[in-house]
Amino acid sequence: MRPELLFPLFAEVGRIKGVGPRYAKLIEKAAGPQIVDLLWHLPSGVVDRRPSPPIPEAPDGRVATLTLTVLRHQPPPGRRGPYRVVCSDGHADIDLVYFHAKGDWLEKLLPVGEVRVVSGRLERFQGRAQMAHPEHVVPEEEAEEIRIVEPTYPSTEGLPMRTLRRAVEGALERIPTLDEWMSPSLLAQRAWPRWDEAVRRAHAPEDARDLEPDAPTRIRLAYDEILSNQLALALVRARMKRQKGRSVHGDGSLREAVAKALPFSLTGAQRMALAEIEADMAADTRMLRLLQGDVGSGKTLVALMAMLNAVECGAQAALMAPTEILARQHFATIEPLARQAGVRIEILTGRDRGKTRAAIVGRIAEGSAKIVVGTHALFQEGVEFRDLAVAIIDEQHRFGVHQRMSLGGKGQAVDTLVMTATPIPRTLLMTAYGDLDVSRLTEKPPGRQPIDTRTVALDRLGEVVDGVARKLDQGAKVYWVCPLVEESEKLDVAAAEERASTLRRRFGDRVGVLHGRLKGPEKDAVMDAFKNGTVDLLVATTVIEVGVDVPEATVMVIEHAERFGLAQLHQLRGRIGRGDKASTCLLLYSSPLTETGHARLAVMRDTEDGFLIAEEDLRLRGAGEVLGTRQSGLPTFRMADPAAHASLFPVARDDARLLLNQDPELEGPRGKAARTLLYLFERDAAVRYLRGA
Ligand code: ADP
Ligand code: MG
C-alpha cells in the first residue's frame, strides 16, 4: 500500500485549490492526471521580470519590465485596428497595444499622467518600441510582486501559463517531508540538495543555467528517478533468481547432428554466446539472459542450439516472435535443421483456429511437440506445455522483460532468453533490464559483402528510378520503403499505395506492395511472389523491418530517410546484404536537412556497426527518439535523460544492488525510505515483491 504520507501527491490535479474542472483537463493533458505529475513537470524556460534597461537599450523580442508614465490614449481610428496607449520611461516612448479592448477599462488600468510598472514582450515596429497586451500592469507600490524571475512550463492550447504556474505552486505546497533514501556517502560526496528542496528549487530557476540537465537540483531529481527504476528492476531480478531453477544439461547429441548438417561452422561470437547460455541453463538458478545481435548475426541458430539442449534432456522449448511473419520465418529456418536431428517442431500462431489449433495444443500438452515456434498465441490460456524448460523471446526491437515474466509460469523453472536485433546502447539497456546478463553477437557470419550506402536528395527521384531500372535489368530484387506519415498507419498505407502505383506505370506487374493493412494470406502471397516469383520491386511500409528474409534482395531505397530513427534505418538496411552479392542502399532525404539530420545520415553512410550507430543516435537525438517510435517499450523518464544523465545509471545500479544486499526486504530505515521512493515514482508493482508489502 502507498504510504499515507504520499496521499496528498496522488490526488487528482482538480483537487488543487483554484483549479476548476475545465483547467484540470488541460493540466492533465500538459503534465499528467495526478498532483505528483506537476512536481515532475519541470520548467522549460524562465522569464526574467526584474527591471530592464531603458527602452532604447532594451533588447528586441524579450520580456521587459519598465516603469512608465502614461502620456495619452489613442483609440482605434475606425472600428478595426488596435487601441494604443502611449507611454514613456523618460528615455523613449513606447506604445502599449491592445486588440479588442474596451476604452474605459484601459483608462482605468492606465490613467493618463500616472506611473505604472508594466511587464511584457517588447518589440520594435519601424524603429518604435511597442508591447502588445502586457502581462502585468501595476501601480508602483505593487511592483515588487511582479519584479521576479518566473518559470515557464511546457503547456497546451487553452491553458494560460499563469494557471499552470499556480497549479504547480499548489502541488509544491503539498510536498511532504520524506526520509532520505539516498546513501549518506553519495549525498555527501555529491553535495546534492535534499529531495524536497530539489523539487522546490527546480521549480524556481534563477536563470537559464538552472534548466540545464546538469544543474544540481535537476541531477538530484534525475538520480531519484533512475534509482527508483534500478531498484525496481533489481527487485524483479532478485525474485527471479530466488525461484529455484533446474539444471538443463543435455548430452549434445542433437546439437552435434545439427552442426553436422550445417553448410558452415558457428562463428566465434556464436560459440561464446552459446557457452554462456549453456552455463546458465546448467546452473540450478533460472536463466534470464539477453542475446543482442545485429540483424543477420545468426541469433536464430544460437536459439535453436539452446532449445536442442533442452530437448536432449527430454524437455520442451518455445520460441516466441513478435509477429506472424517472423514466427513463420523462424519456423522455416529451424524446421529443416530440426528434422535432420529428428526433432518434432510445431508452429502455433493466432491464425490457427478450431481443429488445427486443438491438434497442435494437444501435441504441446502431451509433449510430442518438442520445439514450438509461435507468436504470443503460444502463451495464451489453454496452451499447456508438458515440460517446458526454456523459453526464447525474440523481441526484435520491443522490450520489457518484466511484462514477459508471466511466461515463466508456463513451466516449473523456465530458463528465459530474450533476443533483440536492436543494438541498444548500454545506458538504455540498463533502463530496461537493469542488471541483466547479456551476450552480444558482435561478429557477422563470414562471406558478407559490405553494403554501399548513399544519401540522395529527393528531388533526384527521377535518377533514382532510372538507377533502380538498371538494377532490375541486371536481375536484382529491390525494396522500396515508404516513410512513416505522422505515426498513422492509414496514411502510411496510402503513401505506399501511391508510390507503388507510380512505379507500376514504369515497371508494371513487377511491382508488389506490402503493408500492415493486408491480411495474413495476402501478405504471404506478396512475400512469396517477391521471394520466388514475379515481383522484383517490393514497395513496403516499415512492416518489412521485422522479419523478412530474401537473400537475393540487393537494393534498398528508403524514402524520407531523415524521418526514421537510426536504429530503424539500420534494421531496414539489414534486410539487404544478406547474400554474397554486393548490395546498395539509397537513403533519400528531403532538403534542406537539419545539421543533426545531416550527421545522422552520415553515420548511416559511414558504418554498418549497429552498436556504433545506436550510440551515435543516442548522442545526436537523445533517448526519447532513439528507437524510432515511442512504442519501443523502453521505460520513459520524466526527469532523467538517458543521454545527459548516462553516468548516473551505473551509480544507481550499484547503489540499488548494495542496498538490497544489506537490506533485501527494505525493512531498515534507509530501506523504508527507498520503499517510499518506489511509491513516489509509481513502481508499486516492484514493491509487491517484498515481504509485508
Ligand atoms: P538473426 O536472427 O540474428 O537476424 P539469422 O539467425 O537469421 O540472423 O542468420 C542470418 C543468416 O546467416 C541465415 O541465413 C543463417 O543461416 C546464416 N548464418 C547463421 N550463422 C552463420 C554462420 N556461422 N556462418 C555462416 N552463415 C550463418
Ligand atoms: Mg533471425
Side-chain angles (χ1 to χ4, degrees), residues 537-565:
L537 175 53
L538 184 66
V539 179
T541 59
T542 47
V543 290
I544 62 159
E545 189 183 357
V546 265
V548 167
D549 192 12
V550 181
E552 301 74 34
T554 53
V555 179
M556 175 168 286
V557 179
I558 304 178
E559 264 188 70
H560 283 293
E562 79 279 1
R563 292 189 195 162
F564 291 93

Side-chain angles (χ1 to χ4, degrees), residues 359-377:
I360 300 168
V361 170
R363 289 193 290 274
I364 295 172
E366 77 189 28
S368 62
K370 292 296 179 188
I371 294 178
V372 189
V373 178
T375 55
H376 63 274

